[in-house]
Amino acid sequence: MRQSVVNDAFRSCLEAVKEETPELFPPDHGPGDYDVDRSLRGASDSRAKALGVSLDDINVVNRWRKVEEAKGRKTSQGMSDGYADVELIRPMCIRYTVRL
C-alpha cells in the first residue's frame, strides 16, 4: 500500500476526531499537518522518553527507520547496530513496547 493512501486514511480519521473533540488539536494545527511516519514515530519516541525507556532501547527500535530510509544504500548506523542479530535484540524491542 502506498504511503499517500495510508496518510489520506490517517488524516480522514483525524478529521473525524477533530470534529468530535477539537480540544485535542492545537488551534494552529489541523489533520493536514500530521503524517503517519513523523507523527506516530515522534509521539512514540516522546512517550517512551517520558516513561523512562532507555535511550538504547529507543535507538534499537528506531534503527529500522534508518534501514528503510537508506533504500538499499549503506546506512549511517554504527557497526554494532548493523551487525546486531534480530533475535538477540528482540528483548529491547519488547521492553520498549511494553513500557508504552
Side-chain angles (χ1 to χ4, degrees), residues 2-52:
R2 295 187 61 173
Q3 175 104 13
S4 61
V5 172
V6 174
N7 272 328
D8 288 346
F10 178 64
R11 290 178 183 139
S12 291
C13 291
L14 290 178
E15 286 285 352
V17 170
K18 187 173 183 179
E19 284 180 22
E20 286 186 34
T21 50
E23 65 275 7
L24 293 177
F25 292 83
D28 57 339
H29 283 80
D33 296 317
Y34 299 94
D35 156 304
V36 170
D37 277 345
R38 288 178 305 179
S39 300
L40 299 180
R41 174 85 273 138
S44 178
D45 285 355
S46 297
R47 185 162 169 76
K49 288 174 186 172
L51 292 172

Side-chain angles (χ1 to χ4, degrees), residues 46-96:
S46 297
R47 185 162 169 76
K49 288 174 186 172
L51 292 172
V53 175
S54 77
L55 189 56
D56 284 340
D57 288 357
I58 292 170
N59 287 338
V60 163
V61 170
N62 286 335
R63 79 190 197 105
W64 305 113
R65 182 176 179 193
K66 290 181 181 179
V67 171
E68 288 175 2
E69 287 176 350
K71 297 180 182 172
R73 296 174 304 191
K74 186 176 178 180
T75 64
S76 62
Q77 62 192 7
M79 188 167 294
S80 65
D81 286 335
Y83 287 104
D85 183 304
V86 174
E87 291 302 316
L88 296 176
I89 62 173
R90 184 182 305 238
M92 296 175 89
C93 296
I94 291 171
R95 278 195 307 263
Y96 178 97

